[in-house]
Amino acid sequence: QVQLVESGGGLVQAGGSLRLSCGASGRTIGTYVMGWFRQAPGKAREFVATISRNGISTLYGASVKGRFTISRDNAQITVFLQMNSLKPEDTAIYYCAASRAFIVRVTEADYDYWGQGTQVTVSS
């Protein structure tokens, strides 16, 4: 069982930046494809970004491409989501997820473990 813990959420003004972090308590995440998803009130969970096990391959959702960057540290302990040029429509709970797949994944069902989520609120 992998327990994922997110941090870094908060309140920010439109145009600002936040960096989310996610780790698996007590273990590395090097054997997992990692992803970020988000869910706004009254909406379905949405794919945000994913990164391969070796950190070379990444994919982004259309609404965040060019503004968000996913990365993982060399020690394979933490995955990050750098969010720039934030907009009010980015307001959501952001979830970190881990997949045992061998290549990057964009679908919720392909992820095996999920964090509890961290709230991001962007004010206009």
Side-chain angles (χ1 to χ4, degrees), residues 50-52 54-59 70 104:
T50 181
I51 188 166
S52 60
N54 59 12
I56 293 177
S57 298
T58 57
L59 289 174
I70 188 171
V104 291

Side-chain angles (χ1 to χ4, degrees), residues 3-117:
Q3 291 185 317
L4 300 174
V5 180
E6 304 97 336
S7 63
L11 174 64
V12 64
Q13 288 189 329
S17 298
L18 280 175
R19 188 172 85 153
L20 305 183
S21 300
C22 172
S25 55
R27 60 185 296 170
T28 65
I29 55 172
T31 57
Y32 300 97
V33 165
M34 300 299 295
W36 287 96
F37 291 76
R38 68 186 183 185
Q39 188 166 22
K43 295 188 177 181
R45 195 173 293 187
E46 175 189 17
F47 166 73
V48 175
T50 181
I51 188 166
S52 60
R53 296 182 181 193
N54 59 12
I56 293 177
S57 298
T58 57
L59 289 174
Y60 296 91
S63 60
V64 306
K65 195 171 185 179
R67 299 187 298 122
F68 291 11
T69 303
I70 188 171
S71 62
R72 58 200 306 164
D73 67 341
N74 291 335
Q76 295 286 17
I77 294 174
T78 308
V79 63
F80 303 99
L81 184 68
Q82 178 66 42
M83 306 185 295
N84 298 328
S85 302
L86 283 161
K87 305 174 182 180
E89 50 264 44
D90 293 318
T91 295
I93 298 174
Y94 283 71
Y95 297 91
C96 173
S99 171
R100 290 173 291 187
F102 289 99
I103 59 174
V104 291
R105 298 290 183 182
V106 302
T107 305
E108 274 188 74
D110 291 327
Y111 285 81
D112 303 289
Y113 306 104
W114 293 82
Q116 293 298 307

